[in-house]
Amino acid sequence: MNDMRIAERDVSTSETKIAARGVQVHYGTTHALKDVDIDILNGNVTAFIGPSGCGKSTFLRCLNRMNDTIAAAKVTGSIKLDGEDIYDAKVDPVQLRAKVGMVFQKPNPFPKSIYDNVAYGPKIHGLTRSKAELDNVVETSLKKAALWNEVKDRLHSPGTGLSGGQQQRLCIARAVATSPEVLLMDEPCSALDPIATAQVEELIDELRGQFAVVIVTHSMQQAARVSQKTAFFHLGNLVEFGETGQIFTNPRDPRTESYISGRIG
Amino acid sequence: MSDISSHRGSSSLLVADARTKRRNAAEARFRSYGVAAIAIALIALVTLLISIFGNGASAFRQTFVTVPITLPAETLDPSGNRDPAEMAKVTTIGYGNVLKAGVTAAVREAGVVPEGMADSDIAGILSQEAPAQLRAMVLENPELIGTTVETHVLAHGRIDGFFKGRVTMESAQRDSNVTPERLQLAQAMTEKGLMSSGFNWGFVTMPDASDQRPEAAGLGVAILGSLFMMFVVVLLSLPIGVAASVYLEEFAPKNRWTDVIEVNISNLAAVPSIVFGILGLAIFINFAHLPQSAPIVGGLVLTLMTLPRIIIPARAALRAVPPSIRDAALGVGASRMQTVFHHVLPLAAPGILTGMIIGLAQALGETAPLLLIGMVAFVRDYPGGLFDPASALPVQVYNWTQRSDPAFVERASGAIIVLLVFLICMNAIAIILRRRFERRW
């Protein structure tokens, strides 16, 4: 693992954005996530790593209540966003998801134009008052997603006609268009080629200045490249959570060491 | 040491081994079964179409008599004031006499009457419907009275059959409805231009006619009735079917109740249509006291029958929308309803529409339930609305196939052609709508 570039290690802030305490997830009779405590910090990229089926994606989907769409999933424990419990009965998941954006594993643009893809979020949340304002939001979002230069001449052609990497950046633009406070990314690069992956990773690094970014990844190199904090999940347990540099160079738990050195997983 | 490659027969790629030959032979056999199956289906379809068009195409042509008729004012308008109410008192018998006199005079003048043919026999070339046609023409246009007008009326069904090859001189010998002299007269009239055959608009506009006058039987009432019923079916089954499938697929919790509902919808789709007829008879007519033979009842019954057949493909279309689209919409904070209406439904629309049109096409061709709610009745008045008695296209076909006069064979086949044209139109609409929705991406 000598090629691993551990770039910016400084955890730039200690301000907690999301605080999860004692989170348990059951899918029917399966206990998918056991007693997870974690603090997601503002302005940082937090990576979740671990073998397949370890519960990292499940936990990510708890953070914006996407697990609500799975009837069998039951979440207990507390997850607080800025001190407010997001599983409180009074919380509308729709409002929550406007604050906590999500990018999925497979690029999933709407079968609409590039413009409509990005404009959809601001439109349904009523974030803009005029067409000009909306145009502006679309442009800045596409610029943030480093896609503007490639698509500015064909904003009204279908988003599904873009290449895989472009589609994923379009999905990122769509997610940032609602000005979220947290951006969740579920293996955003697993369907992309190395060049597109590099672009998206660069993007993630830029975005962390504005949001707390949480990324689930299978690639330890990617976790090392983009994140400041890393959480290692195994069999539904949060095994270790700490600064990325420490996790990769000096893991405290033997299981973490086995995983990052390739013995389990 | 056992080497797996030693099981291979020939090592050369240029020589196919026995196993490969067997596999290739099996594939070739399977392909030929497929070709044979398609060939059988095509032959059946072609035979069907040939027999329908062969029998039915002649229903769209009809023989007409065109003669100048003098309309005497003293018999047709005895009061002389051209008052339509007064004139309507003259029945078709009065017009029949006028017509008979006019035709006899015209053919005698043209010199086409075979020797020894009586005047009373000459009028037999006219349809029994002809006086009614003349009467309708005069009542619509009273100024014609007292003048001589070129009149275009239906020839008798046997005369028409003669030109279509159904009636011959030999069969006319034995037929009480026609004589060989009349056929000779018809032949001679055709040569003089007094009798001609033309496109039969009456077949699609006129109402049904009795056994004795197949030449006047048309589909007007049946087409109207079918259109009214389809209107009811579309109006009810589209919103109900789409709402039910969207709710069941996107919103309903998956529990025992929804399982029961799901099983029942599948079962309802398999219920024989005549059962829906009995249900309609019991509920809509006996309980709700809606009128018999009315398109509203037919439409309601067909809606019940069509709903499960719409819901099942609509749910399949909704299920076929990739879940990633729902995730994407929910992920940017759309509510479930926004997710469904902005993203899922537009993507499922082509599939839903196709299912809808296929359901409607089935409903259009459905006969059995309509028999039970009285749409099999003989209706001569055009329905003015959903509550007036009407007939329906498939029922009209059923009706005509039961009539004894062979002229109704061509009518029944002709009606099937009209029904097929409607079905083709509906399928074309389905294809166009599909294209429309799909062209968006």
Side-chain angles (χ1 to χ4, degrees):
Chain A
M1 237 167 253
N2 298 327
D3 63 326
M4 203 179 277
R5 170 176 58 95
I6 298 181
E8 273 186 80
R9 283 287 70 87
D10 325 323
V11 174
S12 44
T13 165
S14 57
E15 188 191 330
T16 303
K17 188 70 188 168
I18 298 178
R21 292 290 175 271
V23 176
Q24 315 253 4
V25 179
H26 294 262
Y27 288 125
T29 54
T30 320
H31 197 175
L33 210 56
K34 298 160 194 162
D35 217 14
V36 171
D37 292 355
I38 210 164
D39 282 328
I40 310 284
L41 301 182
N42 234 344
N44 281 295
V45 178
T46 306
F48 293 173
I49 60 169
S52 295
C54 66
K56 56 192 191 302
S57 286
T58 298
F59 183 62
L60 190 76
R61 293 171 69 93
C62 290
L63 298 181
N64 68 343
R65 291 186 58 176
M66 281 299 277
N67 279 336
D68 290 12
T69 59
I70 303 163
K74 199 168 112 292
V75 180
T76 52
S78 99
I79 300 177
K80 285 186 173 156
L81 174 70
D82 291 331
E84 291 174 333
D85 189 352
I86 63 170
Y87 279 90
D88 193 288
K90 281 185 244 117
V91 171
D92 186 344
V94 167
Q95 261 177 303
L96 170 70
R97 289 180 199 135
K99 278 188 169 185
V100 184
M102 189 161 188
V103 176
F104 296 85
Q105 184 171 0
K106 239 180 75 190
N108 55 356
F110 299 130
K112 296 176 188 284
S113 72
I114 295 169
Y115 182 93
D116 288 340
N117 261 286
V118 182
Y120 183 68
K123 261 190 209 160
I124 57 169
H125 294 298
L127 299 180
T128 54
R129 306 213 180 284
S130 65
K131 176 85 171 70
E133 216 179 324
L134 188 61
D135 288 349
N136 197 25
V137 167
V138 170
E139 186 178 334
T140 39
S141 305
L142 284 169
K143 277 180 177 160
K144 276 184 196 163
L147 192 61
W148 175 251
N149 286 331
E150 292 159 64
V151 300
K152 64 183 172 198
D153 301 322
R154 46 174 175 147
L155 285 177
H156 294 282
S157 56
T160 41
L162 297 172
S163 74
Q166 288 174 325
Q167 287 190 14
Q168 193 62 299
R169 279 180 284 149
L170 177 60
C171 293
I172 294 173
R174 183 176 64 193
V176 300
T178 54
S179 335
E181 295 163 17
V182 181
L183 189 61
L184 309 178
M185 301 178 122
D186 190 356
E187 298 179 38
C189 301
S190 64
L192 303 185
D193 66 62
I195 294 171
T197 302
Q199 286 170 327
V200 171
E201 284 179 5
E202 211 172 300
L203 189 57
I204 292 170
D205 202 48
E206 281 166 29
L207 291 176
R208 79 179 175 98
Q210 301 149 49
F211 332 103
V213 179
V214 184
I215 178 170
V216 164
T217 177
H218 261 126
S219 154
M220 282 172 284
Q221 287 89 338
Q222 185 173 56
R225 281 194 299 265
V226 301
S227 70
Q228 283 76 45
K229 301 269 272 181
T230 297
F232 171 60
F233 288 79
H234 187 232
L235 301 174
N237 295 302
L238 174 62
V239 176
E240 193 166 349
F241 177 51
E243 296 194 8
T244 304
Q246 174 255 313
I247 295 273
F248 280 101
T249 55
N250 186 22
R252 292 196 188 98
D253 195 288
R255 286 172 291 176
T256 316
E257 195 190 353
S258 308
Y259 182 70
I260 61 173
S261 57
R263 278 200 297 274
I264 58 167
Chain B
M1 195 175 111
S2 77
D3 186 357
I4 201 165
S5 67
S6 67
H7 296 300
R8 260 184 221 133
S10 157
S11 58
S12 166
L13 279 176
L14 298 174
V15 186
D17 62 17
R19 194 179 166 75
T20 312
K21 277 184 189 153
R22 275 204 307 279
R23 282 200 301 217
N24 290 349
E27 185 173 323
R29 273 201 306 279
F30 180 76
R31 284 184 187 206
S32 58
Y33 296 152
V35 171
I38 291 170
I40 290 171
L42 278 181
I43 290 169
L45 179 67
V46 169
T47 317
L48 175 82
L49 288 180
I50 288 177
S51 97
I52 289 173
F53 280 87
N55 281 323
S58 56
F60 294 92
R61 292 196 74 73
Q62 197 68 39
T63 310
F64 296 95
V65 175
T66 313
V67 286
I69 303 282
T70 308
L71 301 168
E74 57 274 20
T75 42
L76 300 185
D77 187 19
S79 59
N81 54 13
R82 301 288 187 272
D83 176 12
E86 289 280 321
M87 284 164 61
K89 284 182 183 160
V90 181
T91 61
T92 49
I93 296 170
Y95 283 92
N97 292 331
V98 170
L99 202 56
K100 197 188 272 180
V103 170
T104 313
V107 294
R108 291 265 182 229
E109 193 183 315
V112 291
V113 183
E115 240 171 87
M117 193 173 180
D119 284 1
S120 58
D121 206 16
I122 291 174
I125 61 164
L126 293 175
S127 164
Q128 293 181 32
E129 187 72 12
Q133 282 186 302
L134 184 66
R135 181 169 180 264
M137 188 177 94
V138 172
L139 288 182
E140 201 177 294
N141 206 352
E143 299 92 77
L144 293 176
I145 286 180
T147 61
T148 300
V149 270
E150 206 52 18
T151 317
H152 194 66
V153 291
L154 281 167
H156 193 275
R158 289 293 195 281
I159 304 292
D160 183 54
F162 173 62
F163 291 111
K164 287 173 180 168
R166 215 167 39 230
V167 175
T168 60
M169 291 294 177
E170 291 78 50
S171 75
Q173 294 276 2
R174 303 184 297 267
D175 196 336
S176 62
N177 289 311
V178 73
T179 58
E181 286 79 27
R182 287 189 204 163
L183 295 183
Q184 282 166 17
L185 172 63
Q187 191 81 58
M189 281 175 76
T190 312
E191 281 153 21
K192 290 276 178 192
L194 295 175
M195 190 178 277
S196 61
S197 117
F199 188 78
N200 186 12
W201 282 112
F203 184 59
V204 283
T205 57
M206 288 196 299
D208 192 12
S210 67
D211 263 1
Q212 285 75 40
R213 47 188 93 174
E215 65 277 4
L219 290 167
V221 173
I223 290 175
L224 269 181
S226 278
L227 287 182
F228 282 148
M229 282 196 298
M230 287 304 110
F231 174 74
V232 175
V233 174
V234 172
L235 210 65
L236 293 177
S237 65
L238 183 65
I240 297 177
V242 171
S245 35
V246 166
Y247 177 76
L248 285 173
E249 207 51 52
E250 303 286 337
F251 295 96
K254 301 276 172 277
N255 58 26
R256 196 175 301 159
W257 286 112
T258 46
D259 283 350
V260 168
I261 291 171
E262 190 158 349
V263 168
N264 276 306
I265 289 174
S266 307
N267 283 341
L268 278 179
V271 166
S273 56
I274 195 144
V275 176
F276 286 101
I278 295 173
L279 182 81
L281 179 64
I283 293 178
F284 299 126
I285 294 179
N286 290 344
F287 178 73
H289 296 293
L290 288 169
Q292 283 182 30
S293 310
I296 180 78
V297 181
L300 286 170
V301 169
L302 292 180
T303 301
L304 288 181
M305 194 199 79
T306 312
L307 265 177
R309 296 175 190 183
I310 288 175
I311 291 174
I312 290 170
R315 291 187 65 182
L318 288 169
R319 255 198 302 270
V321 174
S324 67
I325 293 294
R326 294 185 182 84
D327 280 349
L330 292 172
V332 294
S335 68
R336 280 168 89 174
M337 198 168 135
Q338 285 171 326
T339 304
V340 170
F341 283 90
H342 295 167
H343 302 288
V344 178
L345 211 49
L347 284 177
I352 293 176
L353 275 174
T354 309
M356 174 86 207
I357 302 262
I358 290 174
L360 280 184
Q362 277 181 335
L364 182 66
E366 198 54 69
T367 323
L370 303 182
L371 301 180
L372 288 176
I373 55 153
M375 291 204 81
V376 73
F378 179 82
V379 181
R380 263 193 74 83
D381 294 322
Y382 294 103
L386 295 175
F387 292 86
D388 292 344
S391 183
L393 273 173
V395 179
Q396 195 68 69
V397 173
Y398 168 79
N399 248 334
W400 282 347
T401 51
Q402 301 203 315
R403 304 269 179 96
S404 54
D405 192 316
F408 280 108
V409 174
E410 83 175 16
R411 299 274 151 178
S413 298
I416 293 173
I417 294 175
V418 172
L419 190 58
L420 285 179
V421 167
F422 273 88
L423 293 177
I424 290 170
C425 288
M426 288 172 72
N427 282 330
I429 292 170
I431 292 168
I432 291 167
L433 286 176
R434 263 190 98 107
R435 284 271 165 79
R436 252 245 158 84
F437 274 97
E438 275 170 359
R439 197 174 295 155
R440 289 169 60 186
W441 304 112

